[in-house]
Amino acid sequence: MVTFITGNKHKVIEAEDIFKNFDINLDHINLGYPEIQGTLEEVALYGAKYASRKLNKSVIVEDAGLFINSLKGFPGVYSSYVQETISNQGILKLMNNVSDRNAEFRSVIGFCTPNSEPKTFLGKVKGEIAFEEKGKLGFAFDPLFYVKEFDKTFGELSTKEKNQFSHRRNSLEQFINWYSTEY
Ligand code: IMP
């Protein structure tokens, strides 16, 4: 059994859909943990170790973000703060008249057992910042994140479609492959 520590129900729905194809039981607990200032990896390492010790369970945590090339990686590690403050319309303003729309979602999974040191698994997906929000599915930056192959934003994709190739799918799949050989 692995416990996903998150308060984000969208992340839980996505993770459950990915885990159901594998022989690992996934539980989830909304345990707040201190989010230190740092890289996605540092936040995930700290959070996973903290939660595994606190709950005496094997846990995963996730730290994710949207990295926009022309903004030198912003909002990156500040993604949740930017989402809560200037939100998608604020990002569109920053991208006004910017022709390089390339961006990347990154997800880092941190895993830790009560008696081990934490490990991380990085997943990425490339896309573009759309010129307007599109779609009501998903959450946060999803309506802004355009994927050429589908000619749709993440906000227009079902969980199943997003889970075929998202940053979260990639990081969780790496974790699952590693976990399946270790445990
Ligand atoms: P967190 O700190 O891991 O929760 O992620 C930081 C922020 O990145 C979230 O609050 C969202 O604003 C954004 N984010 C992470 N993953 C996604 C995603 O799959 N879709 C849209 N926004 C995301």
Side-chain angles (χ1 to χ4, degrees):
M1 167 75 79
V2 177
T3 302
F4 187 15
I5 308 298
T6 182
N8 183 326
K9 66 176 194 299
H10 301 280
K11 289 188 178 184
V12 174
I13 290 167
E14 290 180 19
E16 281 174 346
D17 183 63
I18 293 166
F19 268 77
K20 72 169 191 267
N21 301 315
F22 299 90
D23 200 17
I24 306 170
N25 288 325
L26 186 73
D27 183 15
H28 75 96
I29 294 184
N30 181 6
L31 169 80
Y33 57 90
E35 279 220 9
I36 59 163
Q37 207 41 267
T39 61
L40 298 184
E41 278 80 9
E42 287 164 346
V43 174
L45 286 169
Y46 187 91
K49 187 163 177 175
Y50 174 91
S52 66
R53 301 314 193 249
K54 182 113 186 160
L55 297 172
N56 202 29
K57 287 177 186 290
S58 293
V59 302
I60 54 174
V61 302
E62 189 210 31
D63 201 42
L66 175 68
F67 294 74
I68 302 177
N69 289 20
S70 60
L71 303 181
K72 308 229 185 301
F74 184 83
V77 297
Y78 307 108
S79 292
S80 50
Y81 181 71
V82 167
Q83 182 56 228
E84 279 161 26
T85 53
I86 65 171
S87 191
N88 290 349
Q89 287 303 318
I91 293 286
L92 284 175
K93 267 193 201 137
L94 291 174
M95 295 296 287
N96 198 12
N97 291 323
V98 176
S99 57
D100 175 8
R101 317 287 299 184
N102 291 306
E104 187 171 274
F105 265 128
R106 294 184 200 151
S107 156
V108 173
I109 295 294
F111 168 75
C112 200
T113 71
N115 305 307
S116 68
E117 288 304 308
K119 278 182 75 70
T120 59
F121 303 85
L122 168 67
K124 298 177 182 182
V125 63
K126 286 191 188 304
E128 290 166 32
I129 301 303
F131 289 90
E132 57 182 9
E133 293 187 73
K134 270 201 172 153
K136 299 234 175 298
L137 303 173
F139 67 103
F141 298 113
D142 279 343
L144 279 191
F145 195 77
Y146 172 80
V147 185
K148 232 190 225 135
E149 291 79 358
F150 282 80
D151 189 25
K152 280 183 179 166
T153 68
F154 269 10
E156 297 174 296
L157 298 181
S158 67
T159 300
K160 285 231 163 331
E161 290 169 322
K162 183 178 171 187
N163 271 349
Q164 282 170 32
F165 65 103
S166 74
H167 51 315
R168 188 158 296 112
R169 157 67 182 266
N170 293 332
S171 57
L172 284 174
E173 193 167 75
Q174 285 187 53
F175 163 70
I176 288 166
N177 288 340
W178 173 82
Y179 186 88
S180 308
T181 60
E182 292 283 318
Y183 291 90

mmCIF file of all heavy atoms in Angstrom, residues 11 35 62-65 79-80 83 105 139-142 162 167-168, ligand 1:
data_model
loop_
_atom_site.group_PDB
_atom_site.id
_atom_site.type_symbol
_atom_site.label_atom_id
_atom_site.label_comp_id
_atom_site.label_asym_id
_atom_site.label_seq_id
_atom_site.Cartn_x
_atom_site.Cartn_y
_atom_site.Cartn_z
ATOM 1 N N LYS A 11 -5.612 15.684 -8.715
ATOM 2 C CA LYS A 11 -4.420 14.825 -8.720
ATOM 3 C C LYS A 11 -4.785 13.406 -8.295
ATOM 4 O O LYS A 11 -4.261 12.438 -8.836
ATOM 5 C CB LYS A 11 -3.351 15.379 -7.768
ATOM 6 C CG LYS A 11 -2.671 16.645 -8.248
ATOM 7 C CD LYS A 11 -1.514 16.978 -7.315
ATOM 8 C CE LYS A 11 -0.754 18.215 -7.752
ATOM 9 N NZ LYS A 11 0.421 18.474 -6.901
ATOM 10 N N GLU A 35 5.807 23.157 2.885
ATOM 11 C CA GLU A 35 6.383 23.286 1.541
ATOM 12 C C GLU A 35 7.557 24.237 1.641
ATOM 13 O O GLU A 35 7.380 25.449 1.704
ATOM 14 C CB GLU A 35 5.340 23.798 0.545
ATOM 15 C CG GLU A 35 4.434 22.696 0.063
ATOM 16 C CD GLU A 35 4.102 22.782 -1.438
ATOM 17 O OE1 GLU A 35 4.701 23.606 -2.156
ATOM 18 O OE2 GLU A 35 3.230 22.008 -1.867
ATOM 19 N N GLU A 62 3.654 14.850 -4.459
ATOM 20 C CA GLU A 62 4.001 15.371 -5.777
ATOM 21 C C GLU A 62 4.210 16.876 -5.701
ATOM 22 O O GLU A 62 3.425 17.575 -5.055
ATOM 23 C CB GLU A 62 2.885 15.088 -6.794
ATOM 24 C CG GLU A 62 3.333 15.433 -8.208
ATOM 25 C CD GLU A 62 2.212 15.879 -9.126
ATOM 26 O OE1 GLU A 62 1.238 16.475 -8.651
ATOM 27 O OE2 GLU A 62 2.336 15.625 -10.327
ATOM 28 N N ASP A 63 5.245 17.365 -6.350
ATOM 29 C CA ASP A 63 5.364 18.802 -6.545
ATOM 30 C C ASP A 63 5.469 19.040 -8.040
ATOM 31 O O ASP A 63 6.293 18.421 -8.718
ATOM 32 C CB ASP A 63 6.566 19.380 -5.797
ATOM 33 C CG ASP A 63 6.381 20.878 -5.586
ATOM 34 O OD1 ASP A 63 5.254 21.298 -5.254
ATOM 35 O OD2 ASP A 63 7.345 21.637 -5.781
ATOM 36 N N ALA A 64 4.606 19.917 -8.548
ATOM 37 C CA ALA A 64 4.525 20.111 -9.997
ATOM 38 C C ALA A 64 4.583 21.591 -10.323
ATOM 39 O O ALA A 64 4.444 22.445 -9.444
ATOM 40 C CB ALA A 64 3.228 19.512 -10.526
ATOM 41 N N GLY A 65 4.784 21.897 -11.588
ATOM 42 C CA GLY A 65 4.773 23.295 -12.000
ATOM 43 C C GLY A 65 4.768 23.452 -13.506
ATOM 44 O O GLY A 65 5.057 22.504 -14.243
ATOM 45 N N SER A 79 4.318 28.126 -9.167
ATOM 46 C CA SER A 79 3.070 27.897 -9.914
ATOM 47 C C SER A 79 1.811 27.995 -9.061
ATOM 48 O O SER A 79 0.820 28.601 -9.492
ATOM 49 C CB SER A 79 3.109 26.535 -10.606
ATOM 50 O OG SER A 79 4.073 26.556 -11.637
ATOM 51 N N SER A 80 1.821 27.409 -7.861
ATOM 52 C CA SER A 80 0.552 27.431 -7.115
ATOM 53 C C SER A 80 0.247 28.856 -6.644
ATOM 54 O O SER A 80 -0.911 29.286 -6.691
ATOM 55 C CB SER A 80 0.519 26.429 -5.963
ATOM 56 O OG SER A 80 1.643 26.551 -5.179
ATOM 57 N N GLN A 83 -1.017 30.744 -9.647
ATOM 58 C CA GLN A 83 -2.378 30.299 -9.963
ATOM 59 C C GLN A 83 -3.385 30.948 -9.014
ATOM 60 O O GLN A 83 -4.448 31.387 -9.427
ATOM 61 C CB GLN A 83 -2.436 28.763 -9.882
ATOM 62 C CG GLN A 83 -3.754 28.141 -10.235
ATOM 63 C CD GLN A 83 -4.271 28.508 -11.615
ATOM 64 O OE1 GLN A 83 -5.427 28.876 -11.759
ATOM 65 N NE2 GLN A 83 -3.439 28.437 -12.635
ATOM 66 N N PHE A 105 5.159 21.266 -18.587
ATOM 67 C CA PHE A 105 4.712 20.900 -17.242
ATOM 68 C C PHE A 105 5.730 19.907 -16.686
ATOM 69 O O PHE A 105 6.144 18.985 -17.404
ATOM 70 C CB PHE A 105 3.362 20.174 -17.291
ATOM 71 C CG PHE A 105 2.154 21.034 -17.096
ATOM 72 C CD1 PHE A 105 1.106 20.984 -18.007
ATOM 73 C CD2 PHE A 105 2.022 21.848 -15.981
ATOM 74 C CE1 PHE A 105 -0.034 21.758 -17.828
ATOM 75 C CE2 PHE A 105 0.880 22.619 -15.792
ATOM 76 C CZ PHE A 105 -0.141 22.566 -16.713
ATOM 77 N N PHE A 139 -7.768 21.149 -14.321
ATOM 78 C CA PHE A 139 -7.675 22.168 -13.264
ATOM 79 C C PHE A 139 -6.552 23.147 -13.576
ATOM 80 O O PHE A 139 -5.723 22.908 -14.451
ATOM 81 C CB PHE A 139 -7.476 21.503 -11.893
ATOM 82 C CG PHE A 139 -6.148 20.799 -11.714
ATOM 83 C CD1 PHE A 139 -5.125 21.368 -10.980
ATOM 84 C CD2 PHE A 139 -5.933 19.545 -12.278
ATOM 85 C CE1 PHE A 139 -3.903 20.716 -10.801
ATOM 86 C CE2 PHE A 139 -4.715 18.887 -12.112
ATOM 87 C CZ PHE A 139 -3.707 19.475 -11.378
ATOM 88 N N ALA A 140 -6.557 24.226 -12.830
ATOM 89 C CA ALA A 140 -5.476 25.237 -12.831
ATOM 90 C C ALA A 140 -5.079 25.657 -14.256
ATOM 91 O O ALA A 140 -5.908 26.233 -14.980
ATOM 92 C CB ALA A 140 -4.283 24.739 -12.011
ATOM 93 N N PHE A 141 -3.840 25.373 -14.674
ATOM 94 C CA PHE A 141 -3.349 25.861 -15.969
ATOM 95 C C PHE A 141 -3.839 25.012 -17.157
ATOM 96 O O PHE A 141 -3.491 25.311 -18.301
ATOM 97 C CB PHE A 141 -1.813 25.881 -15.985
ATOM 98 C CG PHE A 141 -1.207 26.791 -14.959
ATOM 99 C CD1 PHE A 141 -0.473 26.279 -13.885
ATOM 100 C CD2 PHE A 141 -1.363 28.173 -15.044
ATOM 101 C CE1 PHE A 141 0.090 27.123 -12.932
ATOM 102 C CE2 PHE A 141 -0.802 29.025 -14.099
ATOM 103 C CZ PHE A 141 -0.078 28.496 -13.050
ATOM 104 N N ASP A 142 -4.601 23.968 -16.906
ATOM 105 C CA ASP A 142 -4.982 23.054 -17.998
ATOM 106 C C ASP A 142 -5.607 23.755 -19.214
ATOM 107 O O ASP A 142 -5.234 23.446 -20.343
ATOM 108 C CB ASP A 142 -5.912 21.942 -17.483
ATOM 109 C CG ASP A 142 -5.137 20.823 -16.804
ATOM 110 O OD1 ASP A 142 -3.906 20.737 -17.005
ATOM 111 O OD2 ASP A 142 -5.756 20.034 -16.065
ATOM 112 N N LYS A 162 -5.688 12.867 -20.964
ATOM 113 C CA LYS A 162 -4.562 13.568 -20.322
ATOM 114 C C LYS A 162 -3.570 12.554 -19.732
ATOM 115 O O LYS A 162 -2.360 12.720 -19.817
ATOM 116 C CB LYS A 162 -5.107 14.507 -19.236
ATOM 117 C CG LYS A 162 -4.041 15.340 -18.551
ATOM 118 C CD LYS A 162 -4.618 16.293 -17.501
ATOM 119 C CE LYS A 162 -3.511 16.947 -16.694
ATOM 120 N NZ LYS A 162 -4.003 17.742 -15.553
ATOM 121 N N HIS A 167 2.647 14.996 -17.713
ATOM 122 C CA HIS A 167 3.793 15.018 -16.799
ATOM 123 C C HIS A 167 3.569 14.076 -15.618
ATOM 124 O O HIS A 167 4.453 13.351 -15.199
ATOM 125 C CB HIS A 167 4.039 16.455 -16.324
ATOM 126 C CG HIS A 167 2.828 17.165 -15.780
ATOM 127 N ND1 HIS A 167 1.595 17.120 -16.402
ATOM 128 C CD2 HIS A 167 2.650 17.920 -14.659
ATOM 129 C CE1 HIS A 167 0.736 17.823 -15.689
ATOM 130 N NE2 HIS A 167 1.342 18.308 -14.633
ATOM 131 N N ARG A 168 2.325 14.082 -15.098
ATOM 132 C CA ARG A 168 2.006 13.236 -13.928
ATOM 133 C C ARG A 168 2.042 11.760 -14.313
ATOM 134 O O ARG A 168 2.490 10.915 -13.539
ATOM 135 C CB ARG A 168 0.621 13.659 -13.415
ATOM 136 C CG ARG A 168 0.189 13.054 -12.112
ATOM 137 C CD ARG A 168 -0.885 13.904 -11.443
ATOM 138 N NE ARG A 168 -0.374 15.215 -11.093
ATOM 139 C CZ ARG A 168 -0.784 16.349 -11.697
ATOM 140 N NH1 ARG A 168 -1.735 16.339 -12.604
ATOM 141 N NH2 ARG A 168 -0.229 17.498 -11.345
HETATM 142 P P1 IMP B 1 1.648 21.601 -6.678
HETATM 143 O O1 IMP B 1 2.435 22.512 -5.778
HETATM 144 O O2 IMP B 1 2.343 20.331 -6.991
HETATM 145 O O3 IMP B 1 0.241 21.391 -6.242
HETATM 146 O O4 IMP B 1 1.539 22.283 -8.103
HETATM 147 C C1 IMP B 1 1.764 23.636 -8.304
HETATM 148 C C2 IMP B 1 0.748 24.229 -9.211
HETATM 149 O O5 IMP B 1 1.029 23.852 -10.548
HETATM 150 C C3 IMP B 1 -0.684 23.809 -8.961
HETATM 151 O O6 IMP B 1 -1.295 24.569 -7.978
HETATM 152 C C4 IMP B 1 -1.283 24.104 -10.294
HETATM 153 O O7 IMP B 1 -1.540 25.486 -10.332
HETATM 154 C C5 IMP B 1 -0.154 23.781 -11.259
HETATM 155 N N1 IMP B 1 -0.302 22.437 -11.836
HETATM 156 C C6 IMP B 1 0.366 21.317 -11.472
HETATM 157 N N2 IMP B 1 -0.023 20.271 -12.210
HETATM 158 C C7 IMP B 1 -0.964 20.727 -13.046
HETATM 159 C C8 IMP B 1 -1.759 20.105 -14.038
HETATM 160 O O8 IMP B 1 -1.713 18.883 -14.291
HETATM 161 N N3 IMP B 1 -2.611 20.914 -14.679
HETATM 162 C C9 IMP B 1 -2.721 22.251 -14.440
HETATM 163 N N4 IMP B 1 -2.018 22.871 -13.515
HETATM 164 C C10 IMP B 1 -1.134 22.109 -12.812
#
